[in-house]
Amino acid sequence: MIYLDNAATTQTKPEEVINAVVDAMHRLGNAGRGAHGASLGASRTVFDTRVLLQEFFGAEDPRCMVFTANSTESLNIAIKGVLSKGDHVIATVLDHNSVLRPVYSLEEQGIEHSFINADPMGNPVYEDFEKLIRPNTKAIVCTHGSNVTGNLVDIKRVGEIAHRHGLIFIVDASQTAGVFPINVKEMGIDILCFTGHKGLLGPQGTGGMYVRNGVDVKPLLHGGTGVQSYNEHQPSEMPTKLEAGTLNGHGIAGLDAALRYINRYGMTSIREKEESLMKRFYEGVKSIPDVRIYGDFSSFHRCGIVSLNIGDYDSSEVSDELFTRFGVATRPGAHCAPLMHKAMGTEEQGVVRFSFSHFNSEAEIDEAIKAVNILATE
Amino acid sequence: MRHEKTNYMVFAFHTTTSAFALEKYCQKMDISGRLIPVPRQISAGCGIAYRMTLPEYDRLPEVTGKNDLSPEDCWTYELSNRDIEIETVKMLPL
């Protein structure tokens, strides 16, 4: 199989990530639950990974880094944790359902929302952010990179708008963490939400968030923390406040190994390889008759994604043929981003998304190009 | 269980993260000590504390500077006389 669905999850993981998970399953206890060797071992793994993440994202303190199961959990904690009745929040049509559904769910609590539209290239209309800010606007939520088109969002620019108006800036880095440098201080990010299993190359079930010191986020979950057992309430100190229940210590051990791999291999090298493969694929398919590509390719400094359609074929049929006839794994349909598809006019057809990893080879890209060519011309 | 009474300085924390930050710091500074379950004199709840002998504790301000051992995150307790001396300690440099 030629796996080109890396925007859904990176299938190929560094060998050391797999080994770290297996080793952790052999020896780790429950982090923060006791002071015997097995528990301390788990706690040290969790702490070391927290410090790695702090350094990775330029956070001020390891206690600003919270572990969750994925971006969706992080975004739910962030969105529901900072907004209250009477507030207004701004998100964008580029956002995934992990942003949109929490935002919609708050309507019944009297929390209003507005969405920033996309231009014909699929980029957010930056000028609209200030136009949509109201007296009761509390936060801006924005993806760093569209999971449909691969377009990057100028996070620093949006962060400056948010802070000029005293708003909390929440960023969804699901498609970018591990591939694009993210410095929460330089980019003005108050809350960063990320998953561990995509660009960070860790196991599924790992993820997390950065919460800037001083930003008050109400906990979504309440439960065991290993500390303050006789306190009837969730402890108020970070990161314990947002980490009720047993952490995924085994997965976090894998994430730790993945972060060390990225640091050693070099994020720039990873990104350059992905950009090179994306460019090769884009150049190979862009002139095929009936192939329509979505998104902004004026620069290849973008997520490793090329989404396309062939004529008016259903994207699901195309994706199915790519896999069954050519062994090329892609993702069709709506990609959990309904507003992006509405903006592109692809609600009915969907799009076929090809997404690349630095573990892919040029030969695999060439096979995929050949497959698209055959499907488009036969 | 029978054991000799020894005086220790014990640090307790609001969060497990801070306990491991202190452990890492002490390892870096070559200060002996270890993580233990929180003694009941400090808290009836669960959690992890960091214990060091008094001579090691005396070395701590020397290497951190007294100003580093202020606010926020942990208290110090001297178990020998159970006089609870609360001295809050901020996040130690890693």
Side-chain angles (χ1 to χ4, degrees):
Chain A
M1 176 174 62
I2 298 172
Y3 185 84
L4 299 181
D5 195 17
N6 292 284
T9 193
T10 46
Q11 187 203 35
T12 305
K13 309 292 186 189
E15 201 59 30
E16 61 221 71
V17 172
I18 297 163
N19 292 339
V21 174
V22 173
D23 177 61
M25 293 189 78
H26 280 299
R27 67 179 179 83
L28 294 191
N30 192 337
R33 309 300 197 267
H36 53 76
S39 173
L40 292 178
S43 298
R44 288 185 185 113
T45 297
V46 168
F47 178 75
D48 288 346
T49 314
R50 213 184 286 281
V51 173
L52 278 175
L53 287 168
Q54 174 210 353
E55 293 166 351
F56 204 79
F57 294 121
E60 63 268 35
D61 188 314
R63 288 173 301 184
C64 297
M65 305 310 304
V66 175
F67 286 106
T68 64
N70 46 46
S71 288
T72 299
E73 185 183 341
S74 301
L75 286 160
N76 271 269
I77 292 170
I79 293 166
K80 295 173 181 172
V82 302
L83 297 171
S84 305
K85 187 177 180 180
D87 288 338
H88 169 250
V89 61
I90 297 171
T92 79
V93 300
L94 280 72
D95 286 308
H96 187 275
N97 268 340
S98 54
V99 169
L100 304 178
R101 283 178 173 161
V103 165
Y104 291 135
S105 78
L106 293 173
E107 279 176 9
E108 59 193 35
Q109 292 178 34
I111 296 167
E112 304 169 311
H113 58 257
S114 305
F115 296 120
I116 300 293
N117 278 321
D119 66 18
M121 303 295 276
N123 293 313
V125 181
Y126 292 97
E127 294 73 24
D128 284 355
F129 277 100
E130 294 206 282
K131 292 178 190 165
L132 291 180
I133 293 173
R134 304 175 186 172
N136 62 335
T137 303
K138 179 81 176 285
I140 293 176
V141 192
C142 186
T143 184
H144 186 195
S146 165
N147 70 312
V148 178
T149 64
N151 287 6
L152 282 181
V153 173
D154 186 346
I155 287 301
K156 195 173 177 182
R157 180 174 175 184
V158 182
E160 283 168 1
I161 296 168
H163 290 294
R164 198 156 54 237
H165 294 271
L167 310 180
I168 296 170
F169 186 35
I170 302 168
V171 173
D172 172 9
S174 300
Q175 295 299 331
T176 54
V179 180
F180 292 87
I182 296 173
N183 184 298
V184 292
K185 298 292 163 201
E186 291 172 6
M187 297 165 95
I189 298 170
D190 295 309
I191 302 178
L192 178 77
C193 302
F194 57 93
T195 191
H197 70 99
K198 296 188 179 185
L200 286 173
L201 302 173
Q204 295 175 4
T206 62
M209 58 198 296
Y210 155 81
V211 180
R212 180 172 63 75
N213 266 336
V215 175
D216 184 29
V217 181
K218 297 185 291 286
L220 186 67
L221 298 176
H222 303 78
T225 57
V227 294
Q228 304 181 40
S229 289
Y230 289 90
N231 181 352
E232 291 180 357
H233 305 285
Q234 187 70 7
S236 59
E237 292 82 13
M238 290 285 286
T240 308
K241 178 182 177 183
L242 302 180
E243 288 182 346
T246 296
L247 292 176
N248 177 6
H250 302 141
I252 290 169
L255 182 61
D256 185 278
L259 289 163
R260 291 177 198 279
Y261 169 87
I262 293 169
N263 287 338
R264 195 178 67 251
Y265 191 98
M267 196 189 294
T268 304
S269 302
I270 289 172
R271 189 171 60 254
E272 285 175 353
K273 176 80 183 293
E274 287 187 12
E275 285 175 358
S276 159
L277 296 172
M278 169 177 53
K279 186 176 180 190
R280 189 180 185 89
F281 182 79
Y282 174 80
E283 298 292 348
V285 298
K286 71 175 183 184
S287 303
I288 298 173
D290 275 348
V291 167
R292 181 175 179 194
I293 298 173
Y294 301 87
D296 185 350
F297 284 83
S298 58
S299 160
F300 286 96
H301 186 67
R302 64 197 310 291
C303 301
I305 290 173
V306 178
S307 288
L308 56 80
N309 272 320
I310 300 174
D312 59 358
Y313 284 120
D314 179 357
S315 63
S316 296
E317 281 183 41
V318 173
S319 181
D320 191 46
E321 292 222 17
L322 282 168
F323 183 67
T324 53
R325 290 176 56 190
F326 305 99
V328 178
T330 60
R331 172 99 184 271
H335 314 92
C336 305
L339 300 185
M340 188 74 252
H341 281 275
K342 275 185 190 167
M344 299 191 307
T346 51
E347 284 171 278
E348 290 291 319
Q349 190 176 11
V351 299
V352 186
R353 184 182 68 185
F354 296 75
S355 51
F356 312 101
S357 154
H358 73 294
F359 285 118
N360 286 127
S361 67
E362 293 184 347
E364 288 179 318
I365 301 305
D366 293 344
E367 285 299 312
I369 294 168
K370 205 184 299 175
V372 173
N373 206 6
I374 292 170
L375 290 180
T377 53
E378 69 183 7
Chain B
M1 287 194 297
R2 296 179 58 190
H3 46 75
E4 290 181 17
K5 191 167 180 175
T6 308
N7 291 342
Y8 292 104
M9 187 59 70
V10 177
F11 291 77
F13 309 89
H14 286 302
T15 72
T16 306
T17 305
S18 299
F20 286 87
L22 180 60
E23 181 190 54
K24 187 75 93 184
Y25 179 75
C26 288
Q27 285 169 350
K28 185 177 158 188
M29 291 300 175
D30 200 25
I31 291 172
S32 299
R34 72 181 182 89
L35 290 159
I36 58 168
V38 178
R40 66 177 181 179
Q41 290 93 334
I42 294 172
S43 163
C46 55
I48 297 168
Y50 195 84
R51 182 180 90 175
M52 63 182 73
T53 61
L54 296 182
E56 289 296 289
Y57 172 69
D58 288 340
R59 290 178 58 220
L60 194 58
E62 289 171 26
V63 290
T64 62
K66 280 196 184 300
N67 289 340
D68 285 335
L69 287 172
S70 60
E72 237 172 66
D73 221 353
C74 49
W75 304 273
T76 58
Y77 300 84
E78 193 166 349
L79 291 179
S80 57
N81 56 16
R82 298 187 184 178
D83 268 351
I84 297 180
E85 174 196 342
I86 296 183
E87 181 185 358
T88 51
V89 178
K90 75 173 180 183
M91 191 68 181
L92 293 159
L94 299 174

